[in-house]
Amino acid sequence: MAQRAVWLISHEPGTPLCGTVRFSRRYPTVEKRARVFNGTSYVPIPEDGPFLKALLFELRLLDDDKDFVESRDSCSHINKTSVYGLLVGGGELWPVVAFLKNNMIYACVPLVEQTLSPRPPLISISGISQSFELLFGIQDFLHLGQKNDTELNTKLNQLPDLLLQACPFGTLLDANLQNSLDSINFASVTHPQKQPAWKVGTYKGKPQVSISITEKVKSMQYDKQDIADTWQVVGAVTCKCDLEGIMPNVTISLSLPTNGSPLQDILVHPCVTSLDSAILTSSSIDAMDDSAFSGPYKFPFTPPLESFNLCYYTSQVPVPPILGFYQMKEEEIQVKITVNLKLHESVKNNFEFCEARIPFYNRGPITHVEYKVSFGQLEVFREKSLLIWIIGQKFPKSMEISLSGTVTFGAKSHEKQPFDEICIGGTAYLKLHFKILDYTLTGCYADQHSVQVFASGKPKINTHRKLISSDYYIWNSKAPAPITYGSLLLVRCHN
């Protein structure tokens, strides 16, 4: 018996969506089991937005929902069980246990350990009774002694930690969430704060928390039909917490926009105290599907005094930020080059800097350059046999730029000119260097208002993010063979 996902939705008539998802939790390990058990009848758990719309439609809670719908409103579909089927993503998600109480919709999807076609009788699905037990437990916890919205919000913020104890990995252990809360509070009372050995002192001063998200994008582009281009995003979240007290507690949430790329392969600092199982099981080895966890990614931790990397992650973004084409043709002591670069329309067109470096290895010094550039300016470093195309801070409105020209070389001098064991003959590359502030390729951000700090004083929250290039290569399309990242270990020593 296990749950695939849980939602709490506030019913808000008169608003555009008629409701808001106040809490959601998915269990990827259970979702993988559902995919195996259900086989061809498997329907993945949708994102919160589509689920909200489908559920409110099925419960007839949409403001403009006045028309008769045969599949929902006919006499043959009278529902007496609070178990529904929702039309999402071209399939029907079933069974969905849901009920409305005090303007709050409680919903979850239990695991069915068999195929769903034909539908098995409800009495044979043990997870349904567990779903009701879990939802009633959450309802009792939220409304026990509740006096105002502030107390409700406080309890909603406590739910992630409570479900880690009461329903780990989707399996209900204790429906009385107050027991879990009492055990957490008891542990904090019976074990007074003690200066840990790894923390050499305490901070005294104005409290503040600084969060910096840095994403590095790598790319290898060949412009060849038989060789696939590759790219990867690697992110790091760096924190500096200046907070008074022996063991202050901080919770940082990383969020993604609706079209953001899920974070994967997440590694956390040892100071992180607990993690959602969905964060731990998100891996780039698995194929991307609709069930991929897309946040929010919550990290509760007790920070050290110094700046530290809270977590690292990777992400499979759909396209590289800059698409490139590079062609180099040799003609005796000359080479003809053609470069086309295109900034993807989804990328922020505001760089701190952007330049393309075109090295020429195993040749003499540059003696003459004739070129035509559609945007930016070209700098020539003759002795280093290097061209630097300075693009600047913005691409033009067309998002496309080009460079073409002829480079003439003098006699070789092995003492001065750069030498490389890989870039021989037509094997050559262009390397992009750029940085974009206040932007990440995945869309990942840390919302200042979602940062929770349990320490004396109200801290100032500072958040920053940036995208920078790292090993961003565009290879000569006329090169005889592709170059891999491993081969570049020999190249980097020259850059």
Side-chain angles (χ1 to χ4, degrees):
M1 295 187 296
Q3 306 301 312
R4 294 167 62 185
V6 183
W7 291 268
L8 296 183
I9 299 170
S10 61
H11 181 218
E12 302 168 354
T15 61
L17 298 178
C18 297
T20 302
V21 177
R22 302 293 300 274
F23 173 82
S24 65
R25 168 63 59 83
R26 292 165 176 76
Y27 296 97
T29 53
V30 182
E31 193 66 14
K32 291 183 178 180
R33 292 164 58 192
R35 188 182 294 110
V36 174
F37 283 125
N38 301 160
T40 57
S41 60
Y42 166 77
V43 176
I45 297 293
E47 295 294 324
D48 288 347
F51 180 84
L52 170 65
K53 185 176 180 179
L55 181 61
L56 293 180
F57 172 80
E58 186 65 29
L59 298 178
R60 290 190 64 90
L61 295 177
L62 295 173
D63 290 342
D64 58 353
D65 190 9
K66 307 299 182 183
D67 298 331
F68 176 84
V69 180
E70 174 71 23
S71 62
R72 178 194 64 187
D73 302 325
S74 68
C75 294
S76 61
H77 291 86
I78 296 177
N79 193 303
K80 298 180 180 180
T81 61
S82 295
V83 179
Y84 304 90
L86 305 185
L87 296 177
V88 291
E92 185 180 33
L93 182 65
W94 183 91
V96 178
V97 178
F99 59 85
L100 175 65
K101 186 73 173 180
N102 297 329
N103 291 323
M104 184 75 77
I105 303 172
Y106 300 81
C108 65
V109 180
L111 172 68
V112 180
E113 298 181 346
Q114 63 187 92
T115 182
L116 300 178
S117 180
R119 284 186 180 179
L122 295 181
I123 196 171
S124 67
I125 305 175
S126 58
I128 289 182
S129 60
Q130 188 188 75
S131 296
F132 281 107
E133 187 178 5
L134 172 61
L135 294 179
F136 285 139
I138 295 176
Q139 176 193 335
D140 292 341
F141 170 73
L142 292 182
H143 296 283
L144 180 64
Q146 177 194 335
K147 298 178 181 179
N148 50 48
D149 289 341
T150 302
E151 291 186 5
L152 176 61
N153 292 333
T154 300
K155 290 188 175 183
L156 286 172
N157 290 332
Q158 293 172 337
L159 271 182
D161 292 334
L162 296 181
L163 287 183
L164 283 175
Q165 292 198 17
C167 191
F169 297 99
T171 301
L172 183 63
L173 301 181
D174 187 357
N176 189 339
L177 300 189
Q178 190 62 41
N179 289 340
S180 299
L181 180 63
D182 292 340
S183 65
I184 293 175
N185 293 336
F186 177 77
S188 63
V189 171
T190 55
H191 299 282
Q193 288 188 337
K194 185 178 180 181
Q195 183 83 10
W198 53 265
K199 197 168 185 179
V200 296
T202 57
Y203 173 79
K204 295 293 182 181
K206 188 176 181 180
Q208 63 178 354
V209 175
S210 297
I211 307 165
S212 177
I213 303 175
T214 301
E215 288 188 352
K216 295 183 178 181
V217 56
K218 300 180 179 181
S219 182
M220 299 281 278
Q221 299 180 33
Y222 307 100
D223 194 52
K224 290 178 178 289
Q225 293 184 352
D226 57 337
I227 304 173
D229 295 343
T230 62
W231 58 88
Q232 182 186 38
V233 172
V234 178
V237 181
T238 304
C239 296
K240 179 69 167 68
C241 300
D242 296 327
L243 301 170
E244 293 187 347
I246 297 176
M247 293 284 283
N249 292 313
V250 180
T251 298
I252 290 176
S253 296
L254 301 181
S255 302
L256 297 174
T258 304
N259 59 345
S261 300
L263 309 186
Q264 300 172 318
D265 306 325
I266 298 176
L267 299 175
V268 300
H269 190 275
C271 71
V272 175
T273 55
S274 63
L275 274 181
D276 191 322
S277 60
I279 295 178
L280 294 173
T281 56
S282 181
S283 171
S284 60
I285 298 177
D286 300 329
M288 291 288 290
D289 54 38
D290 293 336
S291 64
F293 182 65
S294 57
Y297 306 84
K298 293 189 176 183
F299 301 91
F301 60 94
T302 300
L305 291 176
E306 68 277 4
S307 177
F308 68 101
N309 290 318
L310 175 65
C311 70
Y312 298 93
Y313 61 84
T314 66
S315 184
Q316 300 178 31
V317 296
V319 292
I322 299 178
L323 294 171
F325 167 81
Y326 176 43
Q327 188 176 89
M328 186 186 78
K329 296 181 180 180
E330 291 187 282
E331 296 181 359
E332 297 181 353
I333 62 172
Q334 292 182 334
V335 295
K336 290 186 177 182
I337 61 171
T338 302
V339 181
N340 296 318
L341 300 177
K342 181 179 181 180
L343 180 67
H344 193 269
E345 58 185 8
S346 64
V347 178
K348 180 180 179 181
N349 189 12
N350 190 1
F351 295 81
E352 183 174 84
F353 65 85
C354 182
E355 63 182 34
R357 299 192 174 192
I358 310 174
F360 300 96
Y361 293 106
N362 310 314
R363 304 176 187 276
I366 297 175
T367 58
H368 183 68
V369 178
E370 293 182 2
Y371 67 92
K372 180 180 179 181
V373 62
S374 68
F375 193 80
Q377 61 186 39
L378 189 69
E379 292 188 356
V380 181
F381 295 83
R382 299 180 182 277
E383 293 300 321
K384 294 182 178 180
S385 300
L386 173 67
L387 301 181
I388 298 183
W389 182 10
I390 300 176
I391 299 166
Q393 297 181 328
K394 282 183 179 291
F395 273 62
K397 290 184 178 181
S398 64
M399 299 295 185
E400 298 184 25
I401 57 177
S402 62
L403 165 68
S404 60
T406 302
V407 184
T408 305
F409 301 92
K412 288 185 180 180
S413 173
H414 295 290
E415 297 180 359
K416 295 182 179 181
Q417 270 63 60
F419 171 76
D420 186 87
E421 296 180 357
I422 293 179
C423 295
I424 298 174
T427 304
Y429 65 85
L430 171 155
K431 186 175 182 182
L432 283 173
H433 297 260
F434 57 83
K435 179 191 291 187
I436 307 177
L437 300 180
D438 194 27
Y439 176 81
T440 53
L441 202 56
T442 61
C444 180
Y445 66 95
D447 185 1
Q448 294 182 351
H449 302 291
S450 68
V451 178
Q452 297 177 322
V453 179
F454 303 94
S456 59
K458 185 177 181 180
K460 179 182 179 182
I461 310 297
N462 300 309
T463 60
H464 308 278
R465 56 181 187 161
K466 60 185 176 183
L467 172 70
I468 60 178
S469 61
S470 172
D471 295 339
Y472 204 103
Y473 293 91
I474 300 170
W475 289 90
N476 178 19
S477 62
K478 296 294 184 180
I483 305 298
T484 63
Y485 276 120
S487 303
L488 290 180
L489 292 175
L490 297 175
V491 177
R492 287 173 182 160
C493 63
H494 300 294
N495 296 342

